[in-house]
Amino acid sequence: MRNYILADNQELTRFALESLLQKEEENVIYRAFDKARLVELLKEHESAVVLLDYTLFDFTDEDQLLIIGERFSLSQWILISDELTPQFLRRVVYSSHQFSVVFKDGPLSEVREAVNAVNRHTRYLSQRALEVIITHQQQEEDKTESVLTETETEIVKAIAQGKTTKEIAAERFSSVHTVTTHRKNIFRKLGINTAHEAVKYALRAGLIDPSEFYI
């Protein structure tokens, strides 16, 4: 037997989800129309699967959602919405493996696959959700790359290759002070604090090959 909580305030969608879940006679379906009722049900059924339309529910932000997910760590969630922002998707997906994602305008087969996946205790991300996350991440990386000057990009690559400030200065026929200033500007622009983080950025941006350095 599996307990499901339908937290979707769109009647047509709720009817479709109930029909899908009722194909298995042992399934027990509960309904929540607001966050307070959802929490009450999770207290009674901590390992339930929650099918939630986040955009139609009374969550103020994704932090509230993640807090409830963490509080009821045995629960699993399938987020089903018309639209979810890339920022929201990245935050939720990267923060917890409890959350699966499908979109209402996708095929019913994706919802079925998501339900089957969570019943196997694995996460399901629809193709569209994956594309949104990957595209947004690439856009963020491209935006960051455009922030750096050509000189700064070359220095990032040198840092990632393990070269010291003195070595970089000698190669560029610059003073140590100049390279140090560039390094500070680079770290500020990228929002990083260490050379190790610079290595990870350089890898993501394709500035170096993994074989060029050792972590």
Side-chain angles (χ1 to χ4, degrees):
M1 183 183 75
R2 195 69 195 264
N3 294 317
Y4 292 89
I5 301 174
L6 293 186
D8 191 314
N9 289 325
Q10 194 171 64
E11 187 174 359
L12 184 60
T13 305
R14 194 167 59 247
F15 176 78
L17 292 174
E18 287 181 358
S19 299
L20 175 66
L21 297 175
Q22 285 172 347
K23 289 184 178 180
E24 299 293 334
E25 293 183 2
E26 65 271 20
N27 289 340
V28 179
I29 303 170
Y30 302 90
R31 299 169 190 83
F33 296 98
D34 58 30
K35 185 178 59 184
R37 178 57 178 159
L38 175 58
V39 170
E40 288 179 5
L41 287 169
L42 283 170
K43 287 179 181 177
E44 298 173 13
H45 312 284
E46 293 188 352
S47 60
V49 176
V50 180
L51 290 89
L52 168 72
D53 186 336
Y54 173 83
T55 59
L56 295 181
F57 233 62
D58 58 339
F59 286 99
T60 57
D61 55 32
E62 62 265 31
D63 286 330
Q64 283 192 345
L65 177 62
L66 290 170
I67 288 170
I68 292 177
E70 184 177 357
R71 178 180 175 186
F72 300 101
S73 59
L74 297 179
S75 65
Q76 291 178 287
W77 301 63
I78 301 175
L79 304 182
I80 308 175
S81 296
D82 287 319
E83 194 65 46
L84 294 168
T85 66
Q87 294 85 349
F88 172 88
L89 283 174
R90 288 187 65 186
R91 175 80 190 285
V92 172
V93 169
Y94 290 165
S95 296
S96 173
H97 283 274
Q98 289 173 265
F99 295 92
S100 298
V101 181
V102 296
F103 288 92
K104 285 187 175 180
D105 59 358
L108 183 62
S109 60
E110 289 188 340
V111 179
R112 189 177 295 110
E113 288 173 16
V115 171
N116 291 336
V118 297
N119 283 330
R120 297 192 303 270
H121 299 284
T122 59
R123 177 163 69 180
Y124 180 86
L125 298 176
S126 70
Q127 184 62 34
R128 179 180 165 192
L130 285 170
E131 289 173 356
V132 169
I133 293 170
I134 293 170
T135 299
H136 183 258
Q137 181 171 328
Q138 186 60 55
Q139 289 173 344
E140 289 295 305
E141 290 175 357
D142 291 344
K143 189 188 303 180
T144 302
E145 288 174 28
S146 66
V147 167
L148 298 181
T149 66
E150 183 178 346
T151 296
E152 289 169 342
T153 300
E154 291 174 357
I155 290 175
V156 167
K157 181 175 180 179
I159 292 171
Q161 291 171 331
K163 295 176 182 177
T164 65
T165 300
K166 187 175 180 180
E167 289 172 334
I168 297 170
E171 287 183 356
R172 300 187 60 81
F173 303 101
S174 300
S175 68
V176 170
H177 174 74
T178 298
V179 174
T180 299
T181 300
H182 279 308
R183 181 185 174 108
K184 289 179 180 178
N185 289 336
I186 291 166
F187 281 26
R188 174 180 54 79
K189 288 181 178 181
L190 298 181
I192 62 177
N193 299 290
T194 67
H196 183 75
E197 290 174 305
V199 170
K200 291 195 289 185
Y201 165 77
L203 279 171
R204 290 196 306 270
L207 299 179
I208 60 171
D209 185 270
S211 62
E212 294 185 59
F213 72 98
Y214 298 94
I215 297 182

